[in-house]
Amino acid sequence: MLIMTTDGFGCYHKWQSSQHVGNMCVHYDLLNILSHSRSRADVQTNTSWNAPIIWDGMFDPDVFDQGHKQDQSTVALTVFAVGRYLDAYLGTFLNSSEQYFMVGLPVTFYVFTDVPEKVPNMKLAPQRSLKVIKVERHSRWQDISMMRMKTISDVIESDIRHHSTYVFCFDVDQVFTGRFGSEALGESVALLHAHFYNLPKHRFTYDRNPKSKAYMETGDFYYHAAVFGGTWQSVKAMADACYQSIMEDKQNNVEALWHDESHLNKYLWLHNPAGCSLLSTAGTEVLATRKTFGFNPKKQRCQRNNLKNKTHLNYGKVM
């Protein structure tokens, strides 16, 4: 597993000479990667289960780019733009994605929307394409957020698995302001929530309702559902499990505190692999003007009610 944070970035692939992804055997020259690594004394660099946390400045992006190009890695990006979110965010999200997301690798953008004809035209680089898929518009954003898990699983089964090695799933109310590159590619990828990174665990907003399938007493980290990914097999397993838990809650007239994010946190707590990597997040106030891959919690709190604000995605250093 690979865990991302919002004020830096880290990556880890299983400590072995290769990993099997579908019919591909993806090789990593780990000695070469590690020889380019630099330590960081100012941040946590290992999890409690001894998985490395690699921050910005601890990896050489060229090493990852060359390796993934050699292994012919391909990436799918999924994003949902329904209702007002289509007009407010999609154009900026797509333009910034084309500029910064997995540059140099084949990428297919999957846009799920209730109004396909309003998706903006984009000029894409070679080996990059856009697919628009119509979805139902639910009356509540919470339902859109939760039901996306089934949609993601379905499109992986019907399309993505035939074309892409990796899948990343993003919220649309975000904008890339810097490199989001191949160093993020791993078997399983999760994002640490910036707001909770420096808070004690008892402040983490896990679902505390024992009636919910998302119920948690404690956990390792608090993950942000705005970004998650991995190999298509891992993402499909994650989406299937979350969807099943969501539907069981619905049958019992229960709704998790933070909807799909609560179920995602429960899944990642139960499926914590022995080998894992972290893309880092430090600080609770991360602005695009600082070279960071970050989230501004003040903006996060009002996103759902005020479409003026965006989350900014970028990589950089802790300041």
Side-chain angles (χ1 to χ4, degrees), residues 303-315:
Q303 276 179 9
R304 301 304 180 185
N305 299 316
N306 183 348
L307 294 180
K308 294 181 181 179
N309 295 313
K310 295 184 181 72
T311 292
H312 296 272
L313 300 180
N314 193 358
Y315 295 129

Side-chain angles (χ1 to χ4, degrees), residues 136-147:
E136 177 184 357
R137 179 177 180 178
H138 297 275
S139 58
R140 301 188 313 147
W141 68 262
Q142 293 92 334
D143 292 319
I144 296 171
S145 180
M146 288 188 290
M147 299 309 292

Side-chain angles (χ1 to χ4, degrees), residues 60 198 237 264 268 270 294 302 305 309:
D60 185 341
N198 284 323
L264 182 69
L268 293 171
L270 294 176
C302 64
N305 299 316
N309 295 313

Side-chain angles (χ1 to χ4, degrees), residues 6-8 177-178 282 285-295 312-319:
T6 60
D7 199 16
T177 58
E285 184 77 17
V286 184
L287 304 177
T289 53
R290 294 168 54 183
K291 291 180 66 66
T292 57
F293 164 45
F295 293 87
H312 296 272
L313 300 180
N314 193 358
Y315 295 129
K317 302 176 181 178
V318 179
M319 296 184 181

